[in-house]
Amino acid sequence: MTYRVCFVCTGNICRSPMAESVFRARTVEAGLADLVEVDSAGTDGWHEGDGADPRTVSVLAEHGYGTEHTARRFDRSWFDRLDLVIALDTGHLASLRRLAPTARDAEKVRLLRSYDPAAGSDLDVPDPYYGGLDGFEECLEMVEAASDGLLAAVREQVEGRAV
C-alpha cells in the first residue's frame, strides 16, 4: 500500500515544489520510492498550470535535484487519499486544518520544520518569492534539514504497514 505525502505552500511554485523534489530524492536514496508517493500543491490557485519559479528550479539544479512541476491548488477531497499533508508555514497549517473535512484529516497536517530538531520554535519556512536567490538557498537549507526527520517518520509508518 502506497504512503502519500503532499507538501503545501501558497502558490505551489517555490517552497512546496522544492520540498517535493528534495523529499522525493530522499525516498529514492532510502529505497522507499516504490512505497511513498510525493507531490505538492498550493493553498491558492494563483499559479495553477505554471511551472516552478525559475529561481526554485535553478537552486534545485545547482544542488543536484530535478523538478518537473506544474502548479495546482490543494483540494479538500484529497485528504481522503493522503496520509500526510506537510505545510510550509503556520498560515498554511491553519488554512489546511480549516479545510479538512474531519478531525482525523486535520491531524494529517503537520509543519515541515517540526521534523527538524534544530529548528527550535520558529517552524515557518519563509516565502522567498519576493526576495533574491539567497532566500531560495535558505529555503532549500531548511527543507533539507527537515527532510531527514520527515523521512524517518515516514519510514516508520511505511514499515508499520508492512507488518
Side-chain angles (χ1 to χ4, degrees), residues 28-48:
V28 169
E29 292 165 5
L32 298 175
D34 292 339
L35 302 173
V36 180
E37 180 182 299
V38 183
D39 62 16
S40 65
T43 56
D44 296 306
W46 303 326
H47 298 286
E48 277 185 293

Side-chain angles (χ1 to χ4, degrees), residues 45-68:
W46 303 326
H47 298 286
E48 277 185 293
D50 294 345
D53 184 291
R55 296 165 294 178
T56 297
V57 174
S58 172
V59 167
L60 285 170
E62 182 180 317
H63 292 274
Y65 299 104
T67 181
E68 289 185 28

Side-chain angles (χ1 to χ4, degrees), residues 25-160:
R26 293 292 193 276
T27 63
V28 169
E29 292 165 5
L32 298 175
D34 292 339
L35 302 173
V36 180
E37 180 182 299
V38 183
D39 62 16
S40 65
T43 56
D44 296 306
W46 303 326
H47 298 286
E48 277 185 293
D50 294 345
D53 184 291
R55 296 165 294 178
T56 297
V57 174
S58 172
V59 167
L60 285 170
E62 182 180 317
H63 292 274
Y65 299 104
T67 181
E68 289 185 28
H69 178 74
T70 303
R72 62 195 184 136
R73 185 176 190 168
F74 189 89
D75 189 284
R76 72 181 291 149
S77 68
W78 299 352
F79 274 105
D80 193 41
R81 68 175 178 80
L82 292 169
D83 297 290
L84 197 54
V85 180
I86 302 294
L88 276 289
D89 71 28
T90 52
H92 306 131
L93 179 80
S95 294
L96 290 162
R97 286 189 172 163
R98 279 192 307 272
L99 191 63
T102 68
R104 183 172 181 246
D105 289 326
E107 291 173 12
K108 295 176 182 180
V109 184
R110 299 276 188 269
L111 281 166
L112 175 62
R113 292 195 71 210
S114 68
Y115 293 95
D116 178 3
S121 62
D122 182 10
L123 299 181
D124 285 353
V125 175
D127 187 352
Y129 185 76
Y130 294 103
L133 206 53
D134 291 1
F136 287 82
E137 290 284 350
E138 179 185 19
C139 180
L140 179 62
E141 289 172 16
M142 291 179 175
V143 166
E144 287 179 325
S147 290
D148 293 334
L150 176 58
L151 181 64
V154 168
R155 180 190 302 274
E156 186 177 305
Q157 292 297 312
V158 169
E159 290 174 352

